C-alpha cells in the first residue's frame, strides 16, 4: 500500500507538471513562455511515461485536465468567492487521494482530499495576494478589500479544523504522529506565518 501511494504521488506530480507548464504558455510573460516552451518536451515525455503505467494514471490525467479547464473558467469570470476559486483544486485532490484508499475509507479520503486541496489553494492565494495585486493576476481575495486577510484567515482555520476532524476517522498505522502533527499543527502554523508576515509588511 505504501509503495502504491508513492507511485500514485509520482504519477500525479509528472502529470501536473505537464499541465502547469502547458498552462504557462498562455499565462506567463515573455520569459515565462520561453521557459515553458523549453520545458514542455521533457514534461510531455514524463507524462506519456506515467500514462503508460495503467488506468489510475489515465484517471489522474483526466482530473488534471479538468482542473485546469475549470480553474481557467473561474479566473475568466473573476470570481470573488474563495470557495468557488478553490473548487477545482479541491475536487482534483479529492479524486487523487481517494485512489489510494479502500472501500472502507474512500469517502473519508475524498472529503479529506477536498479539504486539503481547498487549504492549499487558499493558503497559496493568501500568501501571493500582494504580488498578484501588483502583477494584475487573479486572486479571489483581491475583491475582499481591507477585510480580505481576516476573511481568508477565518476560512483557512475552519478548513484546518475540519481536516483535523476527518483525520480522526482515518486509521493510520504508519506515520500517524507525523501526519497528525502536520495536519493539526503545521497547517495552522503556516497560516499564522503568512498572517504575521503580512502584518510586518504593512508596518514596514
Amino acid at each position: 500500500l505504501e509503495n502504491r501511494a508513492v507511485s500514485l504521488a509520482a504519477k500525479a506530480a509528472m502529470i501536473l507538471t505537464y499541465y502547469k507548464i502547458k498552462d504557462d504558455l498562455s499565462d506567463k510573460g515573455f520569459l515565462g513562455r520561453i521557459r515553458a516552451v523549453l520545458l514542455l518536451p521533457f514534461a510531455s515525455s514524463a507524462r506519456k511515461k506515467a500514462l503508460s503505467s495503467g488506468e489510475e494514471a489515465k484517471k489522474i490525467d483526466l482530473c488534471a485536465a479538468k482542473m485546469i479547464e475549470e480553474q481557467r473558467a473561474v479566473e475568466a469570470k473573476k470570481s470573488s468567492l474563495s470557495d468557488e476559486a478553490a473548487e477545482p483544486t479541491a475536487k482534483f485532490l479529492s479524486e487523487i487521494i481517494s485512489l489510494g484508499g479502500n472501500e472502507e475509507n474512500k469517502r473519508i479520503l475524498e472529503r479529506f482530499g477536498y479539504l486539503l486541496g481547498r487549504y492549499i489553494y487558499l493558503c497559496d492565494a493568501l500568501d501571493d495576494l500582494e504580488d498578484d495585486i501588483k502583477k494584475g493576476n487573479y486572486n479571489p481575495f483581491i475583491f475582499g478589500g481591507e477585510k480580505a486577510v481576516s476573511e481568508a484567515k477565518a476560512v483557512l482555520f475552519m478548513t484546518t479544523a475540519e481536516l483535523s476532524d476527518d483525520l480522526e476517522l482515518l486509521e493510520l498505522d504508519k506515520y500517524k504522529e507525523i501526519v497528525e502533527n502536520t495536519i493539526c499543527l503545521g497547517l495552522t502554523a503556516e497560516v499564522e506565518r503568512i498572517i504575521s508576515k503580512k502584518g510586518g509588511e504593512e508596518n514596514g
Side-chain angles (χ1 to χ4, degrees), residues 48-67:
K48 288 178 181 177
K49 182 178 179 180
L51 289 176
S52 68
S53 65
E55 292 302 314
E56 285 184 333
K58 292 176 183 177
K59 183 171 183 179
I60 293 172
D61 190 73
L62 287 173
C63 290
K66 185 177 180 181
M67 176 184 69

Side-chain angles (χ1 to χ4, degrees), residues 80 129 139-151:
S80 61
L129 180 57
N139 189 311
F141 295 128
I142 287 176
F143 308 97
E146 295 180 357
K147 296 181 179 179
V149 173
S150 60
E151 289 176 354

Side-chain angles (χ1 to χ4, degrees), residues 65-97:
K66 185 177 180 181
M67 176 184 69
I68 295 296
E69 181 182 349
E70 291 179 347
Q71 196 65 54
R72 279 189 169 278
V74 169
E75 295 181 9
K77 69 185 250 185
K78 299 187 183 301
S79 174
S80 61
L81 304 175
S82 58
D83 280 347
E84 183 179 23
E87 185 76 0
T89 305
K91 289 195 299 184
F92 173 77
L93 267 189
S94 176
E95 291 278 356
I96 303 313
I97 288 181

Side-chain angles (χ1 to χ4, degrees), residues 7-201:
S7 177
L8 281 173
K11 293 171 189 175
M14 287 188 284
I15 291 168
L16 275 176
T17 298
Y18 165 78
Y19 280 105
K20 177 64 173 67
I21 292 174
K22 190 176 179 182
D23 195 47
D24 285 348
L25 287 172
S26 56
D27 279 352
K28 297 294 181 181
F30 177 73
L31 292 178
R33 288 196 296 272
I34 293 296
R35 176 178 175 274
V37 167
L38 294 174
L39 292 176
L40 188 60
F42 301 99
S44 180
S45 177
R47 171 177 172 260
K48 288 178 181 177
K49 182 178 179 180
L51 289 176
S52 68
S53 65
E55 292 302 314
E56 285 184 333
K58 292 176 183 177
K59 183 171 183 179
I60 293 172
D61 190 73
L62 287 173
C63 290
K66 185 177 180 181
M67 176 184 69
I68 295 296
E69 181 182 349
E70 291 179 347
Q71 196 65 54
R72 279 189 169 278
V74 169
E75 295 181 9
K77 69 185 250 185
K78 299 187 183 301
S79 174
S80 61
L81 304 175
S82 58
D83 280 347
E84 183 179 23
E87 185 76 0
T89 305
K91 289 195 299 184
F92 173 77
L93 267 189
S94 176
E95 291 278 356
I96 303 313
I97 288 181
S98 65
L99 286 176
N102 52 45
E103 289 304 317
E104 293 180 1
N105 61 19
K106 184 176 177 63
R107 294 191 67 177
I108 300 172
L109 286 172
E110 285 177 348
R111 183 59 182 170
F112 185 85
Y114 181 90
L115 292 167
L116 185 60
R118 186 169 75 180
Y119 171 91
I120 290 172
Y121 179 90
L122 295 179
C123 197
D124 187 58
L126 179 60
D127 200 17
D128 292 344
L129 180 57
E130 284 75 20
D131 283 343
D132 286 339
I133 291 173
K134 292 175 183 176
K135 296 176 181 177
N137 295 334
Y138 169 77
N139 189 311
F141 295 128
I142 287 176
F143 308 97
E146 295 180 357
K147 296 181 179 179
V149 173
S150 60
E151 289 176 354
K153 182 178 179 180
V155 170
L156 283 164
F157 280 161
M158 287 173 59
T159 302
T160 55
E162 192 173 347
L163 272 167
S164 297
D165 291 341
D166 281 3
L167 186 61
E168 292 181 4
L169 300 175
L170 292 172
E171 295 183 5
L172 300 175
D173 296 324
K174 299 185 68 175
Y175 312 119
K176 181 177 181 180
E177 186 174 341
I178 295 174
V179 174
E180 287 181 343
N181 284 340
T182 300
I183 297 300
C184 300
L185 301 177
L187 298 188
T188 300
E190 178 63 10
V191 178
E192 293 286 10
R193 180 195 68 79
I194 294 172
I195 298 297
S196 176
K197 182 184 75 170
K198 292 187 180 304
E201 291 172 350

